[in-house]
Amino acid sequence: AIIGRQMDKQAEKIKNTVPDAKVERVGEGIVVEFNSDVLFGFDQSNLIAKSKTSLDKLVIVLNEYPDTNIELQGHTDSKGTQSYNKSLSVRRASAVSGYLNGEGIRNNRITVKGFGETMPKYDNSTTNGRAQNRRVEFLISANEKMKTEAEKAAGK
């Protein structure tokens, strides 16, 4: 319950600081998806200026909550081979990881995963759906320090 309240506060802060992101509480974590900003062009893994602006807003909140881990999940549309898309999705998540690290988020907080085309959220038969599937999602969860402190606080 203690971690849940802390994650609720962080999720609310992200919603207020980064209004163009979809923020969802899942279990004891937070899922952040950018609607149109941290997306990539076809066959691209480089961040565009608009992406960096949105990430800068998120970095402010991530720095306020240093006891959280961040899993970056890269995704692609369904064009291309599965093996190529898997590699591309890792490059996308790694590009975001590198940017976050350059903005002061410690590398030991970040995990990168690539899912290629295996987890589409949008319709890959449309141009807009494919564009939305070219994304990186952020899964934010408590790290061991936060869990230990919560256990100590619950025991008082």
Side-chain angles (χ1 to χ4, degrees), residues 22 31-41 44 47 51 72-78 85 88-94 96 113-124 129-139:
K22 178 181 173 187
V31 177
V32 179
E33 177 186 348
F34 287 88
N35 297 328
S36 61
D37 293 329
V38 184
L39 301 177
F40 300 87
Q44 299 292 310
L47 292 171
S51 302
L72 300 170
Q73 296 186 344
H75 301 275
T76 68
D77 62 27
S78 60
N85 284 339
L88 179 59
S89 67
V90 170
R91 289 196 311 273
R92 287 178 173 163
S94 295
V96 173
K113 292 188 178 180
F115 291 95
E117 63 192 68
T118 63
M119 297 175 64
K121 279 191 167 180
Y122 305 94
D123 186 353
N124 269 315
R130 285 189 299 276
Q132 292 290 340
N133 280 328
R134 295 191 289 263
R135 68 192 192 281
V136 171
E137 292 183 341
F138 301 73
L139 278 61

mmCIF file of all heavy atoms in Angstrom, residues 22 31-41 44 47 51 72-78 85 88-94 96 113-124 129-139:
data_model
loop_
_atom_site.group_PDB
_atom_site.id
_atom_site.type_symbol
_atom_site.label_atom_id
_atom_site.label_comp_id
_atom_site.label_asym_id
_atom_site.label_seq_id
_atom_site.Cartn_x
_atom_site.Cartn_y
_atom_site.Cartn_z
ATOM 1 N N LYS A 22 0.072 9.280 -22.198
ATOM 2 C CA LYS A 22 -0.955 8.440 -21.581
ATOM 3 C C LYS A 22 -0.277 7.760 -20.390
ATOM 4 O O LYS A 22 0.743 7.094 -20.540
ATOM 5 C CB LYS A 22 -1.439 7.395 -22.592
ATOM 6 C CG LYS A 22 -2.471 6.446 -22.035
ATOM 7 C CD LYS A 22 -2.862 5.428 -23.100
ATOM 8 C CE LYS A 22 -3.763 4.363 -22.505
ATOM 9 N NZ LYS A 22 -4.011 3.286 -23.469
ATOM 10 N N VAL A 31 2.713 2.763 -16.350
ATOM 11 C CA VAL A 31 3.031 2.632 -17.771
ATOM 12 C C VAL A 31 2.821 4.005 -18.404
ATOM 13 O O VAL A 31 1.769 4.610 -18.233
ATOM 14 C CB VAL A 31 2.145 1.579 -18.471
ATOM 15 C CG1 VAL A 31 2.453 1.530 -19.965
ATOM 16 C CG2 VAL A 31 2.322 0.210 -17.837
ATOM 17 N N VAL A 32 3.835 4.485 -19.113
ATOM 18 C CA VAL A 32 3.748 5.778 -19.790
ATOM 19 C C VAL A 32 3.916 5.534 -21.285
ATOM 20 O O VAL A 32 4.888 4.896 -21.716
ATOM 21 C CB VAL A 32 4.844 6.757 -19.305
ATOM 22 C CG1 VAL A 32 4.741 8.090 -20.049
ATOM 23 C CG2 VAL A 32 4.752 6.962 -17.795
ATOM 24 N N GLU A 33 2.952 6.050 -22.046
ATOM 25 C CA GLU A 33 3.016 5.955 -23.507
ATOM 26 C C GLU A 33 2.775 7.350 -24.075
ATOM 27 O O GLU A 33 1.818 8.012 -23.697
ATOM 28 C CB GLU A 33 1.958 4.996 -24.040
ATOM 29 C CG GLU A 33 1.934 4.909 -25.546
ATOM 30 C CD GLU A 33 0.781 4.076 -26.099
ATOM 31 O OE1 GLU A 33 0.123 3.367 -25.321
ATOM 32 O OE2 GLU A 33 0.547 4.173 -27.299
ATOM 33 N N PHE A 34 3.646 7.763 -24.953
ATOM 34 C CA PHE A 34 3.460 9.059 -25.600
ATOM 35 C C PHE A 34 2.580 8.882 -26.822
ATOM 36 O O PHE A 34 2.813 8.009 -27.648
ATOM 37 C CB PHE A 34 4.805 9.672 -25.990
ATOM 38 C CG PHE A 34 5.559 10.184 -24.806
ATOM 39 C CD1 PHE A 34 6.410 9.364 -24.098
ATOM 40 C CD2 PHE A 34 5.389 11.485 -24.373
ATOM 41 C CE1 PHE A 34 7.097 9.825 -22.994
ATOM 42 C CE2 PHE A 34 6.066 11.964 -23.268
ATOM 43 C CZ PHE A 34 6.919 11.134 -22.573
ATOM 44 N N ASN A 35 1.547 9.710 -26.927
ATOM 45 C CA ASN A 35 0.588 9.583 -28.016
ATOM 46 C C ASN A 35 1.211 9.822 -29.380
ATOM 47 O O ASN A 35 0.951 9.099 -30.314
ATOM 48 C CB ASN A 35 -0.580 10.549 -27.805
ATOM 49 C CG ASN A 35 -1.343 10.224 -26.545
ATOM 50 O OD1 ASN A 35 -1.447 9.080 -26.147
ATOM 51 N ND2 ASN A 35 -1.861 11.249 -25.891
ATOM 52 N N SER A 36 2.022 10.858 -29.499
ATOM 53 C CA SER A 36 2.580 11.131 -30.822
ATOM 54 C C SER A 36 4.001 11.661 -30.780
ATOM 55 O O SER A 36 4.555 11.970 -31.821
ATOM 56 C CB SER A 36 1.697 12.141 -31.555
ATOM 57 O OG SER A 36 1.649 13.342 -30.824
ATOM 58 N N ASP A 37 4.587 11.761 -29.609
ATOM 59 C CA ASP A 37 5.878 12.427 -29.527
ATOM 60 C C ASP A 37 7.080 11.493 -29.512
ATOM 61 O O ASP A 37 8.078 11.790 -30.139
ATOM 62 C CB ASP A 37 5.930 13.338 -28.300
ATOM 63 C CG ASP A 37 4.978 14.506 -28.442
ATOM 64 O OD1 ASP A 37 4.764 14.941 -29.581
ATOM 65 O OD2 ASP A 37 4.445 14.958 -27.434
ATOM 66 N N VAL A 38 7.028 10.428 -28.750
ATOM 67 C CA VAL A 38 8.172 9.522 -28.734
ATOM 68 C C VAL A 38 7.859 8.387 -29.699
ATOM 69 O O VAL A 38 7.776 7.227 -29.335
ATOM 70 C CB VAL A 38 8.492 9.015 -27.318
ATOM 71 C CG1 VAL A 38 9.737 8.152 -27.312
ATOM 72 C CG2 VAL A 38 8.708 10.193 -26.392
ATOM 73 N N LEU A 39 7.611 8.780 -30.916
ATOM 74 C CA LEU A 39 7.371 7.843 -32.008
ATOM 75 C C LEU A 39 8.496 8.020 -33.010
ATOM 76 O O LEU A 39 9.232 8.991 -32.970
ATOM 77 C CB LEU A 39 6.026 8.141 -32.675
ATOM 78 C CG LEU A 39 4.814 8.065 -31.753
ATOM 79 C CD1 LEU A 39 3.565 8.461 -32.504
ATOM 80 C CD2 LEU A 39 4.666 6.665 -31.196
ATOM 81 N N PHE A 40 8.592 7.084 -33.884
ATOM 82 C CA PHE A 40 9.707 7.066 -34.816
ATOM 83 C C PHE A 40 9.186 6.978 -36.237
ATOM 84 O O PHE A 40 8.161 6.374 -36.495
ATOM 85 C CB PHE A 40 10.601 5.855 -34.514
ATOM 86 C CG PHE A 40 11.151 5.877 -33.125
ATOM 87 C CD1 PHE A 40 10.433 5.346 -32.069
ATOM 88 C CD2 PHE A 40 12.376 6.462 -32.862
ATOM 89 C CE1 PHE A 40 10.931 5.375 -30.776
ATOM 90 C CE2 PHE A 40 12.881 6.502 -31.569
ATOM 91 C CZ PHE A 40 12.160 5.954 -30.533
ATOM 92 N N GLY A 41 9.925 7.559 -37.130
ATOM 93 C CA GLY A 41 9.604 7.435 -38.535
ATOM 94 C C GLY A 41 9.819 6.010 -38.988
ATOM 95 O O GLY A 41 10.461 5.209 -38.308
ATOM 96 N N GLN A 44 13.237 4.085 -38.594
ATOM 97 C CA GLN A 44 14.086 5.047 -37.902
ATOM 98 C C GLN A 44 14.186 4.712 -36.413
ATOM 99 O O GLN A 44 13.239 4.208 -35.822
ATOM 100 C CB GLN A 44 13.518 6.466 -38.035
ATOM 101 C CG GLN A 44 13.430 6.967 -39.460
ATOM 102 C CD GLN A 44 14.798 7.185 -40.056
ATOM 103 O OE1 GLN A 44 15.652 7.821 -39.469
ATOM 104 N NE2 GLN A 44 15.010 6.631 -41.245
ATOM 105 N N LEU A 47 15.795 9.992 -32.306
ATOM 106 C CA LEU A 47 14.791 10.834 -31.660
ATOM 107 C C LEU A 47 14.666 12.160 -32.392
ATOM 108 O O LEU A 47 15.670 12.788 -32.721
ATOM 109 C CB LEU A 47 15.186 11.098 -30.207
ATOM 110 C CG LEU A 47 15.141 9.897 -29.278
ATOM 111 C CD1 LEU A 47 15.766 10.254 -27.934
ATOM 112 C CD2 LEU A 47 13.729 9.424 -29.084
ATOM 113 N N SER A 51 10.250 14.751 -29.751
ATOM 114 C CA SER A 51 10.415 13.644 -28.798
ATOM 115 C C SER A 51 11.248 14.093 -27.609
ATOM 116 O O SER A 51 10.925 13.804 -26.454
ATOM 117 C CB SER A 51 11.105 12.453 -29.465
ATOM 118 O OG SER A 51 10.402 12.002 -30.574
ATOM 119 N N LEU A 72 12.364 0.339 -20.573
ATOM 120 C CA LEU A 72 12.004 0.934 -21.848
ATOM 121 C C LEU A 72 11.719 -0.191 -22.833
ATOM 122 O O LEU A 72 12.587 -1.022 -23.099
ATOM 123 C CB LEU A 72 13.141 1.815 -22.367
ATOM 124 C CG LEU A 72 13.529 2.966 -21.449
ATOM 125 C CD1 LEU A 72 14.809 3.630 -21.934
ATOM 126 C CD2 LEU A 72 12.401 3.973 -21.365
ATOM 127 N N GLN A 73 10.497 -0.214 -23.340
ATOM 128 C CA GLN A 73 10.069 -1.270 -24.261
ATOM 129 C C GLN A 73 9.902 -0.690 -25.657
ATOM 130 O O GLN A 73 9.023 0.143 -25.890
ATOM 131 C CB GLN A 73 8.756 -1.886 -23.796
ATOM 132 C CG GLN A 73 8.863 -2.583 -22.463
ATOM 133 C CD GLN A 73 7.587 -3.311 -22.087
ATOM 134 O OE1 GLN A 73 6.522 -3.083 -22.656
ATOM 135 N NE2 GLN A 73 7.691 -4.196 -21.122
ATOM 136 N N GLY A 74 10.765 -1.117 -26.572
ATOM 137 C CA GLY A 74 10.697 -0.665 -27.952
ATOM 138 C C GLY A 74 9.761 -1.529 -28.775
ATOM 139 O O GLY A 74 9.675 -2.743 -28.573
ATOM 140 N N HIS A 75 9.062 -0.879 -29.718
ATOM 141 C CA HIS A 75 8.098 -1.562 -30.587
ATOM 142 C C HIS A 75 8.220 -1.050 -32.012
ATOM 143 O O HIS A 75 8.723 0.053 -32.245
ATOM 144 C CB HIS A 75 6.670 -1.315 -30.078
ATOM 145 C CG HIS A 75 6.453 -1.792 -28.688
ATOM 146 N ND1 HIS A 75 6.111 -3.088 -28.385
ATOM 147 C CD2 HIS A 75 6.550 -1.142 -27.493
ATOM 148 C CE1 HIS A 75 5.987 -3.212 -27.069
ATOM 149 N NE2 HIS A 75 6.257 -2.043 -26.510
ATOM 150 N N THR A 76 7.734 -1.834 -32.947
ATOM 151 C CA THR A 76 7.729 -1.445 -34.353
ATOM 152 C C THR A 76 6.356 -1.725 -34.960
ATOM 153 O O THR A 76 5.516 -2.390 -34.350
ATOM 154 C CB THR A 76 8.766 -2.238 -35.178
ATOM 155 O OG1 THR A 76 8.368 -3.610 -35.248
ATOM 156 C CG2 THR A 76 10.161 -2.129 -34.584
ATOM 157 N N ASP A 77 6.188 -1.249 -36.200
ATOM 158 C CA ASP A 77 5.006 -1.653 -36.954
ATOM 159 C C ASP A 77 5.291 -3.020 -37.579
ATOM 160 O O ASP A 77 6.315 -3.649 -37.293
ATOM 161 C CB ASP A 77 4.626 -0.583 -37.991
ATOM 162 C CG ASP A 77 5.715 -0.356 -39.023
ATOM 163 O OD1 ASP A 77 6.514 -1.272 -39.310
ATOM 164 O OD2 ASP A 77 5.757 0.759 -39.572
ATOM 165 N N SER A 78 4.398 -3.493 -38.415
ATOM 166 C CA SER A 78 4.525 -4.852 -38.957
ATOM 167 C C SER A 78 5.283 -4.921 -40.280
ATOM 168 O O SER A 78 5.428 -6.007 -40.846
ATOM 169 C CB SER A 78 3.135 -5.467 -39.133
ATOM 170 O OG SER A 78 2.375 -4.673 -40.031
ATOM 171 N N ASN A 85 12.801 -6.200 -37.270
ATOM 172 C CA ASN A 85 11.971 -5.382 -36.389
ATOM 173 C C ASN A 85 12.380 -5.537 -34.927
ATOM 174 O O ASN A 85 12.347 -4.575 -34.171
ATOM 175 C CB ASN A 85 10.497 -5.692 -36.584
ATOM 176 C CG ASN A 85 9.960 -5.077 -37.856
ATOM 177 O OD1 ASN A 85 10.529 -4.127 -38.386
ATOM 178 N ND2 ASN A 85 8.866 -5.612 -38.360
ATOM 179 N N LEU A 88 15.396 -3.363 -34.583
ATOM 180 C CA LEU A 88 14.994 -1.964 -34.665
ATOM 181 C C LEU A 88 14.340 -1.511 -33.358
ATOM 182 O O LEU A 88 14.602 -0.412 -32.871
ATOM 183 C CB LEU A 88 14.038 -1.757 -35.842
ATOM 184 C CG LEU A 88 13.486 -0.350 -36.059
ATOM 185 C CD1 LEU A 88 14.612 0.655 -36.280
ATOM 186 C CD2 LEU A 88 12.512 -0.359 -37.243
ATOM 187 N N SER A 89 13.524 -2.377 -32.775
ATOM 188 C CA SER A 89 12.853 -2.008 -31.526
ATOM 189 C C SER A 89 13.856 -1.833 -30.382
ATOM 190 O O SER A 89 13.699 -0.946 -29.541
ATOM 191 C CB SER A 89 11.779 -3.038 -31.158
ATOM 192 O OG SER A 89 12.339 -4.293 -30.833
ATOM 193 N N VAL A 90 14.909 -2.640 -30.373
ATOM 194 C CA VAL A 90 15.966 -2.483 -29.367
ATOM 195 C C VAL A 90 16.710 -1.165 -29.599
ATOM 196 O O VAL A 90 17.003 -0.437 -28.639
ATOM 197 C CB VAL A 90 16.945 -3.684 -29.388
ATOM 198 C CG1 VAL A 90 18.168 -3.414 -28.522
ATOM 199 C CG2 VAL A 90 16.244 -4.957 -28.937
ATOM 200 N N ARG A 91 16.985 -0.838 -30.859
ATOM 201 C CA ARG A 91 17.666 0.429 -31.159
ATOM 202 C C ARG A 91 16.814 1.614 -30.720
ATOM 203 O O ARG A 91 17.337 2.611 -30.204
ATOM 204 C CB ARG A 91 17.997 0.529 -32.653
ATOM 205 C CG ARG A 91 19.110 -0.416 -33.088
ATOM 206 C CD ARG A 91 19.706 -0.079 -34.442
ATOM 207 N NE ARG A 91 18.756 0.145 -35.521
ATOM 208 C CZ ARG A 91 18.246 -0.809 -36.312
ATOM 209 N NH1 ARG A 91 18.585 -2.065 -36.116
ATOM 210 N NH2 ARG A 91 17.416 -0.490 -37.283
ATOM 211 N N ARG A 92 15.506 1.532 -30.901
ATOM 212 C CA ARG A 92 14.611 2.615 -30.476
ATOM 213 C C ARG A 92 14.641 2.790 -28.962
ATOM 214 O O ARG A 92 14.790 3.907 -28.455
ATOM 215 C CB ARG A 92 13.184 2.346 -30.956
ATOM 216 C CG ARG A 92 13.043 2.548 -32.434
ATOM 217 C CD ARG A 92 11.655 2.229 -32.936
ATOM 218 N NE ARG A 92 11.575 2.605 -34.345
ATOM 219 C CZ ARG A 92 10.655 2.199 -35.177
ATOM 220 N NH1 ARG A 92 9.687 1.400 -34.758
ATOM 221 N NH2 ARG A 92 10.653 2.596 -36.433
ATOM 222 N N ALA A 93 14.496 1.703 -28.238
ATOM 223 C CA ALA A 93 14.526 1.787 -26.773
ATOM 224 C C ALA A 93 15.901 2.261 -26.299
ATOM 225 O O ALA A 93 16.006 3.044 -25.354
ATOM 226 C CB ALA A 93 14.174 0.434 -26.162
ATOM 227 N N SER A 94 16.954 1.833 -26.973
ATOM 228 C CA SER A 94 18.312 2.252 -26.609
ATOM 229 C C SER A 94 18.518 3.742 -26.871
ATOM 230 O O SER A 94 19.235 4.411 -26.110
ATOM 231 C CB SER A 94 19.347 1.432 -27.382
ATOM 232 O OG SER A 94 19.287 0.079 -26.996
ATOM 233 N N VAL A 96 16.248 6.051 -26.586
ATOM 234 C CA VAL A 96 15.591 6.734 -25.469
ATOM 235 C C VAL A 96 16.438 6.590 -24.213
ATOM 236 O O VAL A 96 16.642 7.552 -23.467
ATOM 237 C CB VAL A 96 14.159 6.201 -25.254
ATOM 238 C CG1 VAL A 96 13.537 6.796 -23.995
ATOM 239 C CG2 VAL A 96 13.288 6.499 -26.471
ATOM 240 N N LYS A 113 14.330 -3.240 -23.525
ATOM 241 C CA LYS A 113 13.796 -4.454 -24.151
ATOM 242 C C LYS A 113 13.209 -4.096 -25.504
ATOM 243 O O LYS A 113 12.619 -3.028 -25.673
ATOM 244 C CB LYS A 113 12.710 -5.087 -23.280
ATOM 245 C CG LYS A 113 13.225 -5.664 -21.990
ATOM 246 C CD LYS A 113 12.169 -6.444 -21.270
ATOM 247 C CE LYS A 113 12.744 -7.050 -19.992
ATOM 248 N NZ LYS A 113 11.752 -7.820 -19.265
ATOM 249 N N GLY A 114 13.364 -4.995 -26.449
ATOM 250 C CA GLY A 114 12.786 -4.794 -27.770
ATOM 251 C C GLY A 114 11.791 -5.906 -28.078
ATOM 252 O O GLY A 114 12.108 -7.081 -27.907
ATOM 253 N N PHE A 115 10.610 -5.524 -28.509
ATOM 254 C CA PHE A 115 9.557 -6.498 -28.802
ATOM 255 C C PHE A 115 9.216 -6.576 -30.289
ATOM 256 O O PHE A 115 8.350 -7.335 -30.684
ATOM 257 C CB PHE A 115 8.296 -6.173 -27.997
ATOM 258 C CG PHE A 115 8.481 -6.409 -26.526
ATOM 259 C CD1 PHE A 115 8.844 -5.380 -25.688
ATOM 260 C CD2 PHE A 115 8.336 -7.674 -25.985
ATOM 261 C CE1 PHE A 115 9.038 -5.596 -24.330
ATOM 262 C CE2 PHE A 115 8.531 -7.907 -24.637
ATOM 263 C CZ PHE A 115 8.883 -6.859 -23.805
ATOM 264 N N GLY A 116 9.893 -5.756 -31.096
ATOM 265 C CA GLY A 116 9.611 -5.786 -32.526
ATOM 266 C C GLY A 116 8.153 -5.503 -32.804
ATOM 267 O O GLY A 116 7.554 -4.594 -32.230
ATOM 268 N N GLU A 117 7.573 -6.325 -33.649
ATOM 269 C CA GLU A 117 6.177 -6.150 -34.065
ATOM 270 C C GLU A 117 5.217 -7.034 -33.269
ATOM 271 O O GLU A 117 4.032 -7.101 -33.586
ATOM 272 C CB GLU A 117 6.053 -6.469 -35.556
ATOM 273 C CG GLU A 117 6.398 -7.925 -35.876
ATOM 274 C CD GLU A 117 6.555 -8.199 -37.351
ATOM 275 O OE1 GLU A 117 7.521 -7.697 -37.963
ATOM 276 O OE2 GLU A 117 5.699 -8.920 -37.894
ATOM 277 N N THR A 118 5.700 -7.689 -32.212
ATOM 278 C CA THR A 118 4.908 -8.723 -31.540
ATOM 279 C C THR A 118 3.813 -8.193 -30.614
ATOM 280 O O THR A 118 2.947 -8.951 -30.213
ATOM 281 C CB THR A 118 5.816 -9.659 -30.707
ATOM 282 O OG1 THR A 118 6.463 -8.899 -29.676
ATOM 283 C CG2 THR A 118 6.845 -10.346 -31.587
ATOM 284 N N MET A 119 3.844 -6.901 -30.269
ATOM 285 C CA MET A 119 2.856 -6.369 -29.328
ATOM 286 C C MET A 119 2.209 -5.083 -29.860
ATOM 287 O O MET A 119 2.276 -4.029 -29.225
ATOM 288 C CB MET A 119 3.512 -6.111 -27.971
ATOM 289 C CG MET A 119 4.037 -7.370 -27.304
ATOM 290 S SD MET A 119 4.950 -7.046 -25.774
ATOM 291 C CE MET A 119 3.690 -6.371 -24.737
ATOM 292 N N PRO A 120 1.554 -5.173 -31.021
ATOM 293 C CA PRO A 120 0.924 -3.956 -31.545
ATOM 294 C C PRO A 120 -0.253 -3.532 -30.661
ATOM 295 O O PRO A 120 -0.982 -4.374 -30.149
ATOM 296 C CB PRO A 120 0.440 -4.374 -32.933
ATOM 297 C CG PRO A 120 0.212 -5.845 -32.819
ATOM 298 C CD PRO A 120 1.271 -6.335 -31.852
ATOM 299 N N LYS A 121 -0.399 -2.231 -30.488
ATOM 300 C CA LYS A 121 -1.556 -1.685 -29.768
ATOM 301 C C LYS A 121 -2.553 -1.086 -30.749
ATOM 302 O O LYS A 121 -3.683 -0.814 -30.397
ATOM 303 C CB LYS A 121 -1.122 -0.593 -28.791
ATOM 304 C CG LYS A 121 -0.578 -1.094 -27.492
ATOM 305 C CD LYS A 121 -0.449 0.080 -26.532
ATOM 306 C CE LYS A 121 -0.223 -0.398 -25.131
ATOM 307 N NZ LYS A 121 -0.101 0.735 -24.201
ATOM 308 N N TYR A 122 -2.078 -0.849 -31.969
ATOM 309 C CA TYR A 122 -2.883 -0.143 -32.953
ATOM 310 C C TYR A 122 -2.943 -0.977 -34.235
ATOM 311 O O TYR A 122 -2.168 -1.903 -34.420
ATOM 312 C CB TYR A 122 -2.295 1.257 -33.202
ATOM 313 C CG TYR A 122 -2.152 2.033 -31.909
ATOM 314 C CD1 TYR A 122 -0.961 2.033 -31.188
ATOM 315 C CD2 TYR A 122 -3.242 2.697 -31.368
ATOM 316 C CE1 TYR A 122 -0.855 2.698 -29.978
ATOM 317 C CE2 TYR A 122 -3.134 3.370 -30.149
ATOM 318 C CZ TYR A 122 -1.940 3.367 -29.464
ATOM 319 O OH TYR A 122 -1.837 4.009 -28.261
ATOM 320 N N ASP A 123 -3.826 -0.609 -35.114
ATOM 321 C CA ASP A 123 -4.099 -1.366 -36.337
ATOM 322 C C ASP A 123 -2.962 -1.196 -37.346
ATOM 323 O O ASP A 123 -2.782 -0.113 -37.905
ATOM 324 C CB ASP A 123 -5.429 -0.883 -36.925
ATOM 325 C CG ASP A 123 -5.873 -1.706 -38.111
ATOM 326 O OD1 ASP A 123 -5.106 -2.578 -38.592
ATOM 327 O OD2 ASP A 123 -7.003 -1.472 -38.579
ATOM 328 N N ASN A 124 -2.223 -2.263 -37.595
ATOM 329 C CA ASN A 124 -1.105 -2.212 -38.530
ATOM 330 C C ASN A 124 -1.550 -2.149 -39.990
ATOM 331 O O ASN A 124 -0.716 -2.006 -40.878
ATOM 332 C CB ASN A 124 -0.173 -3.408 -38.319
ATOM 333 C CG ASN A 124 0.941 -3.107 -37.338
ATOM 334 O OD1 ASN A 124 1.567 -2.061 -37.399
ATOM 335 N ND2 ASN A 124 1.179 -4.032 -36.428
ATOM 336 N N GLY A 129 -2.162 3.750 -37.691
ATOM 337 C CA GLY A 129 -1.927 2.655 -36.748
ATOM 338 C C GLY A 129 -0.469 2.222 -36.742
ATOM 339 O O GLY A 129 0.119 2.007 -35.673
ATOM 340 N N ARG A 130 0.119 2.106 -37.940
ATOM 341 C CA ARG A 130 1.542 1.734 -38.010
ATOM 342 C C ARG A 130 2.409 2.808 -37.348
ATOM 343 O O ARG A 130 3.345 2.493 -36.620
ATOM 344 C CB ARG A 130 1.970 1.501 -39.460
ATOM 345 C CG ARG A 130 1.460 0.179 -40.042
ATOM 346 C CD ARG A 130 2.073 -0.133 -41.385
ATOM 347 N NE ARG A 130 1.771 0.873 -42.396
ATOM 348 C CZ ARG A 130 0.655 0.908 -43.132
ATOM 349 N NH1 ARG A 130 -0.273 -0.029 -42.958
ATOM 350 N NH2 ARG A 130 0.480 1.844 -44.036
ATOM 351 N N ALA A 131 2.093 4.075 -37.585
ATOM 352 C CA ALA A 131 2.862 5.162 -36.961
ATOM 353 C C ALA A 131 2.777 5.077 -35.444
ATOM 354 O O ALA A 131 3.781 5.255 -34.741
ATOM 355 C CB ALA A 131 2.350 6.516 -37.457
ATOM 356 N N GLN A 132 1.596 4.796 -34.905
ATOM 357 C CA GLN A 132 1.422 4.701 -33.452
ATOM 358 C C GLN A 132 2.144 3.488 -32.870
ATOM 359 O O GLN A 132 2.551 3.505 -31.709
ATOM 360 C CB GLN A 132 -0.066 4.654 -33.091
ATOM 361 C CG GLN A 132 -0.806 5.944 -33.373
ATOM 362 C CD GLN A 132 -0.396 7.062 -32.441
ATOM 363 O OE1 GLN A 132 0.153 6.845 -31.376
ATOM 364 N NE2 GLN A 132 -0.638 8.286 -32.853
ATOM 365 N N ASN A 133 2.298 2.430 -33.656
ATOM 366 C CA ASN A 133 3.006 1.242 -33.176
ATOM 367 C C ASN A 133 4.514 1.436 -33.128
ATOM 368 O O ASN A 133 5.212 0.674 -32.463
ATOM 369 C CB ASN A 133 2.654 0.022 -34.030
ATOM 370 C CG ASN A 133 1.331 -0.576 -33.644
ATOM 371 O OD1 ASN A 133 0.935 -0.544 -32.479
ATOM 372 N ND2 ASN A 133 0.617 -1.109 -34.621
ATOM 373 N N ARG A 134 5.027 2.464 -33.786
ATOM 374 C CA ARG A 134 6.464 2.773 -33.725
ATOM 375 C C ARG A 134 6.698 3.596 -32.468
ATOM 376 O O ARG A 134 6.754 4.823 -32.501
ATOM 377 C CB ARG A 134 6.884 3.541 -34.982
ATOM 378 C CG ARG A 134 6.745 2.720 -36.248
ATOM 379 C CD ARG A 134 7.391 3.376 -37.446
ATOM 380 N NE ARG A 134 6.687 4.550 -37.916
ATOM 381 C CZ ARG A 134 5.801 4.553 -38.924
ATOM 382 N NH1 ARG A 134 5.485 3.430 -39.540
ATOM 383 N NH2 ARG A 134 5.224 5.692 -39.280
ATOM 384 N N ARG A 135 6.833 2.912 -31.342
ATOM 385 C CA ARG A 135 6.823 3.598 -30.054
ATOM 386 C C ARG A 135 7.792 2.955 -29.067
ATOM 387 O O ARG A 135 8.265 1.849 -29.282
ATOM 388 C CB ARG A 135 5.416 3.551 -29.455
ATOM 389 C CG ARG A 135 4.989 2.148 -29.034
ATOM 390 C CD ARG A 135 3.511 2.032 -28.712
ATOM 391 N NE ARG A 135 3.207 0.770 -28.066
ATOM 392 C CZ ARG A 135 3.070 -0.393 -28.686
ATOM 393 N NH1 ARG A 135 3.232 -0.476 -29.998
ATOM 394 N NH2 ARG A 135 2.778 -1.487 -28.002
ATOM 395 N N VAL A 136 8.027 3.695 -27.995
ATOM 396 C CA VAL A 136 8.722 3.170 -26.824
ATOM 397 C C VAL A 136 7.813 3.441 -25.638
ATOM 398 O O VAL A 136 7.318 4.549 -25.464
ATOM 399 C CB VAL A 136 10.100 3.844 -26.621
ATOM 400 C CG1 VAL A 136 10.696 3.453 -25.281
ATOM 401 C CG2 VAL A 136 11.054 3.455 -27.749
ATOM 402 N N GLU A 137 7.561 2.415 -24.848
ATOM 403 C CA GLU A 137 6.759 2.565 -23.634
ATOM 404 C C GLU A 137 7.682 2.508 -22.426
ATOM 405 O O GLU A 137 8.706 1.834 -22.446
ATOM 406 C CB GLU A 137 5.697 1.467 -23.543
ATOM 407 C CG GLU A 137 4.641 1.607 -24.601
ATOM 408 C CD GLU A 137 3.543 0.562 -24.485
ATOM 409 O OE1 GLU A 137 3.740 -0.480 -23.836
ATOM 410 O OE2 GLU A 137 2.491 0.804 -25.062
ATOM 411 N N PHE A 138 7.276 3.218 -21.383
ATOM 412 C CA PHE A 138 8.039 3.300 -20.147
ATOM 413 C C PHE A 138 7.271 2.544 -19.068
ATOM 414 O O PHE A 138 6.109 2.854 -18.819
ATOM 415 C CB PHE A 138 8.167 4.761 -19.703
ATOM 416 C CG PHE A 138 8.844 5.643 -20.701
ATOM 417 C CD1 PHE A 138 8.201 6.039 -21.874
ATOM 418 C CD2 PHE A 138 10.128 6.099 -20.476
ATOM 419 C CE1 PHE A 138 8.830 6.857 -22.791
ATOM 420 C CE2 PHE A 138 10.761 6.925 -21.397
ATOM 421 C CZ PHE A 138 10.102 7.295 -22.551
ATOM 422 N N LEU A 139 7.908 1.559 -18.445
ATOM 423 C CA LEU A 139 7.331 0.866 -17.299
ATOM 424 C C LEU A 139 8.143 1.289 -16.088
ATOM 425 O O LEU A 139 9.343 1.008 -16.008
ATOM 426 C CB LEU A 139 7.398 -0.648 -17.482
ATOM 427 C CG LEU A 139 6.298 -1.285 -18.333
ATOM 428 C CD1 LEU A 139 6.299 -0.748 -19.740
ATOM 429 C CD2 LEU A 139 6.414 -2.772 -18.322
#
